[in-house]
């Protein structure tokens, strides 16, 4: 699909991967980029249009769909981490992860599906993770929320096929953002995630496998569990 001249929305656009998505869209010629953020006054990135959007607030999601009714690209990027350890701790953080990562993505995708249809189909992009496919001992509830989000993305791919909407799932390992700041593992750049996603949109590709660990895990899904978890 074409990015040049399009209007797009990025949720969670105030920093990290979301900000990288907004910048990449503008670099590829998008005419308008709505930056979905909880506090529009905090968004000072040149060239973007701040839009109040807490993805867990149904009224704000509905209002965003009415305001940004010109978009042909929607990028579900808003996400949180911070759930409990597997064997101890409050479930409050895990519930928050599901509210934002899963239900928030569902709410935004549902609200903007008719907008995309009215604008020719366009594209619905969801920022997923390699954790969509494998359990994570450090972040078990985050991985569970991403697994649910991956299933949801596939469901939207089926549901929006007839209206001509390209549904793209973006999978990556650890990205150098605030969310992974305390993790001592190799990381990729948010700008690289965004640029590979732009390439997928231009090529009408339904899946982005950003780094080598993601490609390796994706290929191992057809194997046995010992192979999938050999180095974990």
């Amino acid at each position: 699909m074409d990015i040049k001249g399009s209007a797009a929305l990025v949720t969670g656009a105030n920093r990290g991967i979301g900000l990288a998505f907004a910048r990449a869209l503008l670099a590829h010629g998008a005419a308008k980029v709505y930056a979905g953020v909880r506090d529009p006054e905090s968004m000072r990135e040149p060239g973007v249009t701040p839009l109040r959007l807490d993805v867990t607030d149904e009224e704000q999601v509905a209002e965003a769909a009415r305001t940004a009714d010109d978009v042909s690209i929607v990028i579900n990027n808003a996400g949180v981490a911070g759930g409990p350890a597997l064997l101890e701790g409050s479930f409050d953080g895990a519930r928050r992860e599901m509210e934002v990562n899963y239900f928030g993505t569902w709410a935004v995708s549902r609200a903007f599906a008719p907008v995309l249809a009215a604008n020719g189909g366009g594209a619905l992009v969801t920022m997923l993770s390699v954790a969509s496919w494998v359990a994570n001992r450090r972040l078990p509830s985050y991985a569970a929320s991403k697994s649910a989000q991956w299933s949801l993305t596939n469901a939207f791919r089926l549901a929006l096929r007839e209206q001509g909407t390209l549904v793209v799932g973006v999978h990556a390992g650890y990205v150098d953002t605030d969310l992974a700041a305390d993790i001592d593992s190799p990381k990729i750049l948010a700008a690289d995630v965004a640029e590979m996603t732009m390439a997928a949109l231009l090529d009408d590709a339904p899946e982005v496998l950003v780094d080598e660990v993601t490609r390796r895990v994706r290929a191992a899904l057809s194997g046995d569990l010992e192979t999938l978890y050999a180095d974990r």
Side-chain angles (χ1 to χ4, degrees):
M1 67 165 297
D2 292 330
I3 299 174
K4 188 174 183 179
S6 66
L9 164 70
V10 181
T11 70
N14 56 320
R15 63 182 186 273
I17 301 174
L19 183 56
F21 277 138
R23 289 171 174 170
L25 287 162
L26 290 171
H28 281 267
K32 191 171 190 178
V33 176
Y34 295 96
V37 293
R38 282 178 285 186
D39 179 13
E41 293 184 1
S42 68
M43 190 65 197
R44 303 185 184 279
E45 180 71 13
V48 305
T49 301
L51 180 66
R52 186 178 302 279
L53 180 55
D54 178 343
V55 299
T56 67
D57 186 317
E58 292 185 14
E59 292 184 2
Q60 287 190 21
V61 171
E63 180 61 28
R66 288 190 290 267
T67 300
D69 62 355
D70 54 343
V71 300
S72 59
I73 300 172
V74 173
I75 299 183
N76 284 305
N77 169 76
V80 297
L86 188 62
L87 299 177
E88 60 184 8
S90 167
F91 289 125
D92 290 347
R95 292 189 177 97
R96 177 65 177 166
E97 287 169 331
M98 289 299 292
E99 284 293 332
V100 176
N101 302 347
Y102 177 60
F103 288 110
T105 295
W106 195 345
V108 170
S109 300
R110 177 190 283 180
F112 277 90
V115 175
L116 294 174
N119 293 324
L124 179 69
V125 180
T126 299
M127 186 63 214
L128 298 166
S129 171
V130 68
S132 305
W133 298 321
V134 288
N136 188 305
R137 289 180 292 180
R138 297 172 179 172
L139 304 166
S141 55
Y142 175 79
S145 73
K146 285 295 177 177
S147 291
Q149 194 182 35
W150 176 48
S151 179
L152 182 70
T153 300
N154 292 334
F156 271 105
R157 183 175 293 113
L158 297 174
L160 303 187
R161 181 181 295 162
E162 291 186 2
Q163 71 177 43
T165 298
L166 172 68
V167 176
V168 183
V170 182
H171 297 267
Y174 293 122
V175 183
D176 190 11
T177 65
D178 292 346
L179 188 147
D182 295 332
I183 296 174
D184 184 19
S185 293
K187 300 170 187 174
I188 54 179
L189 297 177
D192 292 339
V193 176
E195 190 56 37
M196 291 184 70
T197 303
M198 297 304 109
L201 289 172
L202 293 170
D203 291 340
D204 292 332
E207 190 171 70
V208 183
L209 307 178
V210 175
D211 52 359
E212 180 56 34
V213 66
T214 301
R215 290 187 284 271
R216 186 171 69 249
V217 170
R218 182 70 168 89
L221 290 179
S222 60
D224 57 35
L225 288 179
E226 290 186 5
T227 300
L228 186 61
Y229 287 97
D231 58 350
R232 293 180 178 271

